[in-house]
Amino acid sequence: MPSHQTAALPGKMRSLFILLLCEIGAMAVWFSSAAVVATIKRTQAIPALDQALLTSSVQFGFVAGTVISALLSLADRYDPRRLFMASALVAAAATGLLALMPPVGPAVFLLRFITGMCMAGVYPVGMRLAVTWAQRDMGLLIGLLVGGLTFGSASPHLLAAMGGIDWRAIYATAAACAALSGVGILLCGLGPNMARSSRIDFNYMAQAWRHPAIRLANLGYLGHMWELYAMWAWLAAFLAASFAAAGMARADHFASLWTFAAVAIGAVGAGGGGWLADRFGRTTLTIAAMATSACCAVLIAFLFGMTPWLVVPVALAWGISVIADSAQFSASVAELGEASMTGTLLTVQTCAGFLLTLASIHLVPEAVAWAGWRAGFFLLAIGPALGCIAMYRLRLRPEAVRLANGKR
């Protein structure tokens, strides 16, 4: 189809709009625990381990869910809309039950684990649906979904700054959003690029590492993920400590507001990064974004304790650059792999990336306790630096001509 007709596919804009709304709504159950922790801490103490488990149990569940999904090739064998629907509805039920229980405890952590497993049928499957509509705009389409995820990740910091919201209401609202999204996804159409596998093929999962070009794209993604979620997890603590060291009153309040801004502005970076990558190349965009985010990690660490008017602009630049490349690794494996294995390749990629975040999120506070915030954020800069090397090596491979319609 000629390029000037690519946006004219019947039902494309309507389906993508529905998909974006459903993705954001369903992912609300993931983000809810961070908002709940911030709300509960205003009225009662929660042990640090329990706070961590409310979040990490979802991460562990997601990893377990993606492994199962990849092994069984679920995203490639079944209608992705129905897989999305089933996952969102189960996650809604698990989250709704949390509103009837104590804020922490073994049963709560189990329900959060189940919720994380269900997200394996929402996040990568949503990207799979977007790919079916891609025609010379794959980077932008996946970038818009990642932008929605980014804004959702920022919302708990805004709630923490506002206060006054009952934690049970947060869970109930998130559950309702996920349930509506599970039903609403059935209104989303499938694009012309939909290709389905008829059987379980463990080779699909192995291709993520056996295929040299796909392996390099995944290594680039791992470098990106090493930094991303640890930055999102610890930026508020860094800003609060930095603002307090600079003598700012109500440091925690302003840290929450500026963390919301720094993470939320990444939604613009994700969408803009997709638009730029489609026009100038996937490796070009990812190398530039990771180089920028690594420099921001180092620079903001050096600015610790200085005037907020120096720290905040770097935090905002970091928030844009740290997510601008995220969707392009997914777009890359979709373009480099066979259409019939796209869902499995995307699931394997997200599984590996989120598994790695569990290490970096927990290593940062250890580094900070050992040698301060400079050591903690220097540690994060290592990931994107290595990711740049992987994507440069991918750029040199002949398969790279399949990226971004030949723009590499």
Side-chain angles (χ1 to χ4, degrees):
M1 181 179 292
S3 60
H4 68 277
Q5 296 179 354
T6 57
L9 289 172
K12 177 176 179 177
M13 296 307 298
R14 173 180 173 274
S15 293
L16 291 174
F17 180 71
I18 292 172
L19 173 59
L20 180 59
L21 290 181
C22 290
E23 185 86 7
I24 295 173
M27 292 294 286
V29 296
W30 190 327
F31 311 137
S32 60
S33 60
V36 163
V37 168
T39 303
I40 294 174
K41 287 173 65 178
R42 293 180 180 273
T43 57
Q44 66 185 81
I46 303 179
L49 177 60
D50 288 346
Q51 291 182 44
L53 286 173
L54 276 175
T55 299
S56 62
S57 57
V58 184
Q59 302 281 92
F60 278 116
F62 181 80
V63 170
T66 51
V67 168
I68 294 171
S69 178
L71 285 172
L72 300 180
S73 302
L74 296 181
D76 292 314
R77 293 171 55 220
Y78 299 104
D79 186 330
R81 297 169 299 183
R82 297 192 179 278
L83 180 57
F84 187 112
M85 178 187 69
S87 300
L89 292 179
V90 173
T95 303
L97 287 173
L98 294 174
L100 308 175
M101 305 176 69
V104 294
V108 171
F109 303 142
L110 176 60
L111 288 173
R112 296 304 289 155
F113 180 85
I114 292 171
T115 299
M117 289 187 68
C118 292
M119 292 300 95
V122 170
Y123 180 41
V125 171
M127 290 192 289
R128 170 75 168 119
L129 279 165
V131 167
T132 68
W133 289 102
Q135 291 192 316
R136 306 180 71 85
D137 56 359
M138 185 179 297
L140 176 60
L141 297 187
I142 301 180
L144 291 175
L145 290 182
V146 174
L149 168 68
T150 302
F151 190 83
S153 297
S155 59
H157 298 290
L158 182 60
L159 291 173
M162 293 171 57
I165 301 175
D166 184 76
W167 64 269
R168 293 179 179 84
I170 294 175
Y171 277 141
T173 301
C177 289
L180 289 173
S181 298
V183 175
I185 197 66
L186 296 180
L187 300 176
C188 178
L190 292 175
N193 300 329
M194 182 65 192
R196 190 177 299 178
S197 175
S198 60
R199 60 191 176 87
I200 297 175
D201 190 338
F202 296 120
N203 186 56
Y204 285 5
M205 190 172 178
Q207 285 302 307
W209 307 109
R210 288 180 181 173
H211 190 293
I214 296 176
R215 180 172 64 247
L216 288 171
N218 283 330
L219 289 174
Y221 179 72
L222 291 178
H224 154 77
M225 288 294 282
W226 173 264
E227 176 190 31
L228 176 63
Y229 271 81
M231 180 270 195
W232 282 356
W234 294 109
L235 181 62
F238 169 85
L239 291 179
S242 181
F243 291 170
M248 175 183 279
R250 301 180 67 196
D252 288 346
H253 172 76
F254 286 106
S256 293
L257 284 176
W258 282 115
T259 301
F260 167 75
V263 178
I265 201 173
V268 178
W275 185 86
L276 290 170
D278 286 336
R279 284 153 181 77
F280 300 104
R282 306 260 181 263
T283 61
T284 301
L285 185 282
T286 52
I287 291 171
M290 285 190 287
T292 302
S293 66
C295 289
C296 287
V298 173
L299 179 58
I300 201 170
F302 271 115
L303 295 176
F304 178 83
M306 295 188 183
T307 173
W309 300 115
L310 287 177
V311 176
V312 166
V314 178
L316 295 175
W318 197 10
I320 294 173
S321 60
V322 77
I323 194 65
D325 54 342
S326 187
Q328 304 319 307
F329 301 106
S330 300
S332 295
V333 300
E335 289 169 330
L336 293 168
E338 297 176 17
S340 62
M341 66 172 69
T342 298
T344 299
L345 290 176
L346 291 172
T347 302
V348 170
Q349 185 185 71
T350 54
C351 173
F354 279 88
L355 184 61
L356 186 64
T357 65
L358 294 172
S360 60
I361 287 173
H362 286 88
L363 282 175
V364 167
E366 297 295 331
V368 171
W370 171 60
W373 280 106
R374 289 184 179 180
F377 282 176
F378 282 3
L379 178 69
L380 295 187
I382 295 172
L386 294 176
C388 286
I389 296 173
M391 295 308 288
Y392 179 73
R393 291 180 60 194
L394 173 58
R395 183 183 183 88
L396 299 178
R397 293 194 62 85
E399 301 98 314
V401 296
R402 299 170 63 180
L403 299 173
N405 305 295
K407 301 182 183 68
R408 296 179 185 264

